[in-house]
Amino acid sequence: MSTIDNLPPLREVIARHDLQAKKQLGQNFLLDLNLTAKIARQAGDMTQCDVLEIGPGPGGLTRGLLAEGARHVLAIEKDARALPALGEIADRYPGRLTVIHGDALQVDPLAHLTPPIRVAANLPYNVGTELLIRWLTPPEWPPFWQSLTLMFQKEVAERIVAAPGSKAYGRLALLAQWRANARIVMTLPPEAFVPAPKVHSAVVHLTALPRPRFPADPAVLSQVTAAAFNQRRKMLRASLRGLHPDIEALLEQAKIPPTARAEEIDLERFCALARVLQAARQAQ
């Protein structure tokens, strides 16, 4: 599929621009354009959407997004070496690709995007989870994005979609599933990447809900889940003791057994506890 857009194959692009992946930047490149186009399709119909991409590297997914019809792509790339290669893609798709040289944790993408907006990225391993948490915890909800189609280490992806009772279940699952529908749509072996990482990878697709699945104050819910999972082996009456002097009564009010552990409690009950705790604090 090197002729997807009449641009050279990615191996040739990498060699010509000396773009060997750097471990310190969390880079692992996908060179199969059939695969990058398949990932792009997981984002859905993009013909009426702007798309935010983080860490495009030599532009494999960028080319997939544009070839699959994205209205406009904003690609934020920290590695200056990749800019000439991305510039060649921009020339091939006039007016449809904007490239910003910068750190995705510091750049405000909304200055360059027009709603509706989707996010699609093979995220650098070293910032992927932090970016996801930012996108899931904006000051106001709904967020700026309609959907997130993101590649993570498979272990992280499994934590995002985990159900109660599983080892992967924790704060990340609760945060993601409180405000979005999340599912794993693809898994990729290490050999799909250059260089091959030591772990499998997976693509997670998250669709923003119009409102959180259950009512709760975000700050209180975050406090409850942090305390619960930071000491996940303990019973909740012990791990949550610091949140309120009468935590056992509040747990029972939220219909949670005080002897239960965090991994046994579903999202609905955690939200109920956050509401009960907030009411108890306001009544003090």
Side-chain angles (χ1 to χ4, degrees):
M1 200 173 175
S2 62
T3 58
I4 180 176
D5 44 24
N6 297 319
L7 290 169
L10 284 172
R11 288 188 184 277
E12 181 182 321
V13 172
I14 288 171
R16 181 156 44 88
H17 293 288
D18 192 24
L19 274 176
Q20 284 69 31
K22 287 187 175 181
K23 185 176 181 180
Q24 62 266 38
L25 294 177
Q27 292 174 329
N28 298 90
F29 298 147
L30 280 169
L31 303 188
D32 184 342
L33 289 170
N34 285 297
L35 200 49
T36 60
K38 185 177 180 181
I39 294 168
R41 286 194 290 274
Q42 301 304 320
D45 182 1
M46 299 173 286
T47 56
Q48 303 301 317
C49 297
D50 280 10
V51 180
L52 171 63
E53 183 187 7
I54 306 298
L61 180 57
T62 314
R63 289 165 66 173
L65 293 168
L66 291 164
E68 291 297 321
R71 180 177 68 189
H72 181 256
V73 175
L74 172 66
I76 302 176
E77 177 54 63
K78 190 174 183 178
D79 188 354
R81 300 176 306 152
L83 300 182
L86 295 169
E88 292 170 3
I89 302 172
D91 291 341
R92 170 63 182 81
Y93 292 95
R96 292 179 58 202
L97 173 61
T98 299
V99 180
I100 293 180
H101 179 215
D103 185 338
L105 296 172
Q106 299 175 359
V107 174
D108 177 12
L110 296 185
H112 308 273
L113 293 166
T114 302
I117 298 165
R118 300 185 183 189
V119 181
N122 172 15
L123 290 174
Y125 280 169
N126 52 2
V127 297
T129 304
E130 182 175 353
L131 283 168
L132 174 63
I133 290 172
R134 286 192 181 195
W135 290 328
L136 289 170
T137 55
E140 296 182 358
W141 195 269
F144 73 86
W145 49 271
Q146 286 187 335
S147 68
L148 308 172
T149 306
L150 307 172
M151 188 179 302
F152 298 95
Q153 296 179 45
K154 188 180 178 184
E155 179 186 355
V156 175
E158 289 172 343
R159 286 168 51 204
I160 294 168
V161 303
S166 65
K167 289 184 178 180
Y169 183 65
R171 293 184 70 196
L172 193 57
L174 290 163
L175 180 60
Q177 296 169 37
W178 184 44
R179 287 173 156 174
N181 290 323
R183 58 193 176 95
I184 293 176
V185 293
M186 286 178 64
T187 56
L188 296 94
E191 54 268 23
F193 299 85
V194 176
K198 295 180 180 179
V199 296
H200 282 66
S201 299
V203 178
V204 182
H205 183 73
L206 300 100
T207 305
L209 296 171
R211 63 191 61 81
R213 204 175 296 277
F214 305 105
D217 179 271
V220 179
L221 181 60
S222 177
Q223 191 177 27
V224 167
T225 56
F229 283 98
N230 284 349
Q231 302 181 75
R232 62 187 299 152
R233 291 179 178 272
K234 290 187 174 182
M235 296 179 184
L236 289 173
R237 66 185 181 191
S239 61
L240 301 181
R241 186 180 294 128
L243 298 183
H244 193 276
D246 200 11
I247 194 63
E248 286 202 43
L250 298 184
L251 284 163
E252 290 173 354
Q253 192 176 337
K255 299 181 180 178
I256 297 173
T259 55
R261 291 174 171 80
E263 64 206 33
E264 301 168 10
I265 306 305
D266 64 16
L267 171 61
E268 184 175 8
R269 297 268 60 81
F270 270 118
C271 289
L273 179 58
R275 295 193 301 271
V276 168
L277 176 60
Q278 184 179 20
R281 287 172 170 174
Q282 290 172 345
Q284 285 180 335

